[in-house]
Amino acid sequence: MNYALVFRPEVREEIDEAYTWYESQQPGLGDEFLDCVDEILNRICQMLESYAVVYRDIRRAVIQRFPYAVYYRFVSSRVIVIAIFHGRRDPKSWQTRT
């Protein structure tokens, strides 16, 4: 089944901030971060229930190579991305989005 990805408005800012930071560390690293985000989003759509529930009905998929995770829930044919969040940030800030 194909799932539509839906992003909360804050997610775009989180991706942009991470991309900018990684690019400032090393040119091309931001693009590698985006590739890893794209890869995990594809995996989520293929295997929705394979990631652990971490808060209510929200699941977490850890991005390989970078200390970020994708927090999402699925409703019928939609995957709703709640946050793409650095692992050291306080989780309560994304939990208020639910």
Side-chain angles (χ1 to χ4, degrees):
M1 179 175 194
N2 291 332
Y3 295 94
L5 281 170
V6 178
F7 296 90
R8 294 212 21 126
E10 302 91 345
V11 172
R12 172 54 61 194
E13 290 176 31
E14 291 165 350
I15 292 172
D16 288 345
E17 286 175 15
Y19 173 83
T20 301
W21 191 84
Y22 283 118
E23 276 298 306
S24 73
Q25 300 304 301
Q26 178 183 335
L29 192 57
D31 291 328
E32 292 179 33
F33 171 74
L34 294 179
D35 290 343
C36 288
V37 170
D38 190 47
E39 182 180 321
I40 198 70
L41 291 173
N42 286 332
R43 277 197 215 149
I44 288 169
C45 288
Q46 292 171 2
M47 304 178 294
L48 285 178
E49 295 186 40
S50 65
Y51 298 99
V53 174
V54 293
Y55 181 75
R56 297 185 182 167
D57 64 340
I58 297 174
R59 295 174 182 268
R60 178 182 64 206
V62 177
I63 296 172
Q64 291 182 356
R65 191 171 169 226
F66 295 92
Y68 281 79
V70 176
Y71 293 87
Y72 71 96
R73 67 166 42 122
F74 55 94
V75 180
S76 51
S77 63
R78 296 181 306 155
V79 174
I80 302 165
V81 179
I82 307 295
I84 295 181
F85 215 68
H86 192 281
R88 294 201 177 199
R89 288 181 61 192
D90 181 7
K92 290 181 182 173
S93 59
W94 69 258
Q95 290 173 356
T96 62
R97 299 177 192 178
T98 61

